[in-house]
Amino acid sequence: MSRFEFLKNSFSRYLGRNFCLLTELKHSAFEQPFYFINDTKPLEIEGIKYEPCVFDVILPAQTEKQGTQITMSNENNQTANEIKKTVYSNENIIINLYCANVETQIAEKYLKGIYELENVQINAKSVTGVMNIRHNLDVNIGLLRYNTNFPNLSS
């Protein structure tokens, strides 16, 4: 999907004018998670305040082999300074990506995936990285049980 298609779909009349993306960046090196909304004003949902930040999620086309990319604004070097803390750790930054409908009286958010941020590149204007899918099933595999009693099989 091209950037134009993404923007067209994001702001189409079918989705409403108030469709936003939310990101939550988490890492053990951070004092607290970072909460961003790609909008010009802050938003509070479920007791969490999302700060406005210019960012873009670029989804790969079906023919592309690289993963989903995220590019965030590097205003005041705040984002870059925090991400630099994670460079020499053995742990990737976790990104929770949400779609938010802020058109209703009570804003709603919908989880669209949990990703790991890899291959981070930082320059004066932006922070760019590849988002690889981490876990989207919300199923703890350790809790699955298999029935080992098969009545038609002889032992």
Side-chain angles (χ1 to χ4, degrees):
M1 175 182 291
S2 71
R3 178 172 168 73
F4 171 77
E5 290 173 314
F6 177 75
L7 291 174
K8 181 181 77 169
N9 290 340
S10 296
F11 298 107
S12 74
R13 62 189 171 101
Y14 301 108
L15 293 174
R17 288 184 294 262
N18 293 320
F19 171 80
C20 297
L21 290 176
L22 307 172
T23 59
E24 297 177 358
L25 279 64
K26 300 176 182 180
H27 192 277
S28 61
F30 299 160
E31 290 179 22
Q32 61 186 14
F34 290 95
Y35 302 101
F36 297 121
I37 180 170
N38 69 339
D39 200 357
T40 57
K41 56 187 179 291
L43 175 71
E44 188 168 332
I45 298 178
E46 299 173 1
I48 298 171
K49 185 175 181 183
Y50 291 86
E51 296 296 331
C53 177
V54 177
F55 68 87
D56 193 14
V57 176
I58 302 167
L59 303 172
Q62 289 181 333
T63 56
E64 290 184 34
K65 297 200 186 252
Q66 73 184 67
T68 303
Q69 291 185 343
I70 186 168
T71 302
M72 296 177 283
S73 173
N74 191 15
E75 293 180 22
N76 304 326
N77 286 329
Q78 177 186 2
T79 308
N81 289 338
E82 291 300 321
I83 289 177
K84 283 180 186 176
K85 293 178 183 177
T86 69
V87 170
Y88 297 109
S89 70
N90 292 330
E91 166 187 4
N92 291 328
I93 296 172
I94 304 300
I95 296 180
N96 293 348
L97 182 66
Y98 297 90
C99 289
N101 178 8
V102 294
E103 204 167 54
T104 58
Q105 288 236 316
I106 299 174
E108 302 170 326
K109 68 179 182 180
Y110 306 97
L111 182 63
K112 293 300 172 188
I114 301 172
Y115 301 87
E116 289 186 353
L117 185 63
E118 299 176 349
N119 303 327
V120 177
Q121 298 175 359
I122 301 171
N123 62 39
K125 294 183 179 181
S126 65
V127 176
T128 303
V130 175
M131 295 170 40
N132 289 321
I133 294 175
R134 181 169 192 248
H135 171 66
N136 285 338
L137 297 176
D138 289 336
V139 174
N140 183 348
I141 300 299
L143 295 178
L144 294 179
R145 302 272 192 260
Y146 295 96
N147 186 358
T148 57
N149 299 326
F150 298 101
N152 295 335
L153 295 177
S154 60
S155 44

